[in-house]
Amino acid sequence: MHRTYSETAQHILTCAQSMRGGGVERALLRMAEGWLGEGRRVTLVLGSDEGPLAAEIPMRIELIRLGDARYSALFALGEHVRATAPDLIFCPGNHYSAVAAMARLRLGRASPPIVAKVSNALVRPEQGRFAAWAYRRWLRLHPRFLDHVVAMTPAMAAEARAEMGMPADRVSVIANPPALPRPDAAPVKLPDGRYIVGVGRLEPQKRWDRLIAALPHIADKQVKLLILGEGGARAALEAQVAALGLTARVSMPGHAGDPLPALAGATVAVLTSDYEGVPGVLREALSVGTPVISTESSVAVREIITLPEHGMVIPREDPEALVAALNQLLDPDRVRPIPVTATGDPITDYLALFDRLVAQRSR
């Protein structure tokens, strides 16, 4: 039987499927490092530590390695909660909400508070009718097993209240901690001359095929394209590059431990996703003074690209708009934006929320 031993979240338990390079897991590791730095104990239930993000796991974190990268392996989370008696469970993104639901089901009243972060869009225009209906029904169940939801922007918070039916007093707005330079990361070989950069997993959600397809149609026939990330769509994207005769202009070197230098050196950063949560890469690009182009993949995109000098937002299915935006931002006379500095203290804000929820449960 779980019991809370203090009125603050001294011990936080979280989970991840693998260390293969997703933005959700990378943000989780930054948060865990911050919580550890504030003197908290953090336990990470990890399906598999294989993958490039393994190098970023904080040294003082307590790891429970399952040795099984299958999603279903995390359904045993409740057993690890019983064994370790954390004060609070943190679900790092939408992908893990079924794991949180299973933990609540197994633990019942013995469950500590469960806080979940909204990491991806809750409205998915690309879904078919039945999939969209099922997804809405699933979202409506979330208030039954989550004590609180964290959204990264006000618009995402409004979407959580509307789509999940989560009461306003159970939704908070806290940004991800900003990415910091990692001097220990292997350097990325940058293209010669001007280049466009994309950063994200090579998965269908990211729709890098749109960006590759646009490259032959832009005015500057010398500009290169660098895509940083790894994933299951690599073979299809490489085949597309070859079919378009772009092998000399497109490079996909894989995961980057520190994408900031590549973002800083690019003329423009581009995100062509079908859907996103709050795309960290847009903030990272703007933090180093690189303008951005993004599809209308999230309600949060326009909260990041707030000024014309920051870049442009385009429709998801409009290849002509993508080419036009690229031509505009690749104009050699265009002035780069002033770097956008992150504000606030996400680590402190998260811990204040966790402490409040644990104190409420202890009464």
Side-chain angles (χ1 to χ4, degrees):
M1 178 73 70
H2 172 83
R3 50 176 296 225
T4 297
Y5 292 94
S6 67
E7 293 192 359
T8 57
Q10 291 299 313
H11 182 193
I12 302 158
L13 181 140
T14 187
C15 63
Q17 188 174 351
S18 75
M19 293 287 103
R20 291 177 183 159
V24 168
E25 290 76 21
R26 171 168 260 166
L28 171 63
L29 296 178
R30 290 205 301 268
M31 285 187 277
E33 192 164 29
W35 299 336
L36 289 164
E38 292 296 320
R40 306 302 173 101
R41 177 185 171 193
V42 181
T43 296
L44 172 61
V45 179
L46 181 57
S48 169
D49 60 6
E50 294 181 358
L53 287 183
E56 300 181 27
I57 297 175
M59 292 188 63
R60 289 182 294 149
I61 204 167
E62 297 177 26
L63 280 178
I64 297 176
R65 294 181 175 87
L66 304 182
D68 188 343
R70 290 177 301 172
Y71 186 76
S72 58
L74 292 174
F75 288 160
L77 188 71
E79 299 171 15
H80 300 292
V81 172
R82 287 195 181 98
T84 59
D87 297 309
L88 181 136
I89 299 170
F90 176 67
C91 174
N94 303 35
H95 176 67
Y96 296 104
S97 59
V99 176
M102 186 65 71
R104 177 72 77 180
L105 182 64
R106 290 188 174 183
L107 295 167
R109 293 179 180 274
S111 174
I114 302 178
V115 177
K117 187 183 77 172
V118 177
S119 61
N120 250 325
L122 303 180
V123 177
R124 300 273 297 277
E126 86 288 352
Q127 289 180 332
R129 181 179 298 179
F130 177 75
W133 173 83
Y135 188 52
R136 286 195 299 270
R137 292 292 297 269
W138 164 238
L139 290 176
R140 286 285 169 172
L141 295 175
H142 282 53
R144 299 187 183 186
F145 59 85
L146 298 179
D147 292 274
H148 206 89
V149 165
V150 173
M152 290 179 276
T153 71
M156 290 296 290
E159 191 168 272
R161 293 192 295 269
E163 300 302 319
M164 291 181 174
M166 190 70 71
D169 62 351
R170 291 168 59 189
V171 180
S172 295
V173 178
I174 306 175
N176 276 340
L180 299 174
R182 297 188 64 89
D184 58 328
V188 174
K189 186 179 186 307
L190 303 181
D192 296 327
R194 301 202 311 158
Y195 64 93
I196 303 160
V197 68
V199 180
R201 293 171 298 118
L202 305 185
E203 297 294 347
Q205 169 194 349
K206 300 295 184 178
R207 292 303 306 269
W208 296 122
D209 59 297
R210 290 172 175 152
L211 184 52
I212 293 169
L215 195 62
H217 301 286
I218 61 178
D220 187 342
K221 302 303 181 184
Q222 302 303 314
V223 72
K224 307 284 183 38
L225 171 59
L226 172 68
I227 301 177
L228 300 178
E230 195 51 81
R234 172 174 285 278
L237 294 173
E238 289 177 340
Q240 181 188 14
V241 169
L244 293 174
L246 296 172
T247 305
R249 294 178 65 189
V250 179
S251 55
M252 294 186 289
H255 173 83
D258 182 2
L260 289 176
L263 288 166
T267 304
V268 58
V270 184
L271 188 69
T272 48
S273 302
D274 274 336
Y275 60 93
E276 289 283 348
V278 178
V281 66
L282 299 183
R283 285 182 164 159
E284 291 168 16
L286 291 173
S287 77
V288 293
T290 299
V292 298
I293 297 170
S294 175
T295 50
E296 193 88 65
S297 51
S298 163
V299 293
V301 167
R302 292 186 184 274
E303 295 179 290
I304 299 172
I305 307 172
T306 57
L307 298 172
E309 53 263 37
H310 289 167
M312 302 176 67
V313 182
I314 60 172
R316 290 184 303 119
E317 299 288 354
D318 192 336
E320 291 80 11
L322 176 56
V323 171
L326 284 165
N327 283 332
Q328 185 171 331
L329 269 69
L330 287 168
D331 183 343
D333 296 326
R334 184 181 176 91
V335 178
R336 290 172 71 90
I338 297 171
V340 179
T341 304
T343 59
D345 187 350
I347 297 300
T348 297
D349 291 343
Y350 261 109
L351 292 179
L353 169 65
F354 292 170
D355 289 348
R356 176 166 62 82
L357 294 174
V358 170
Q360 290 172 350
R361 180 60 63 90
S362 300
R363 291 170 190 160

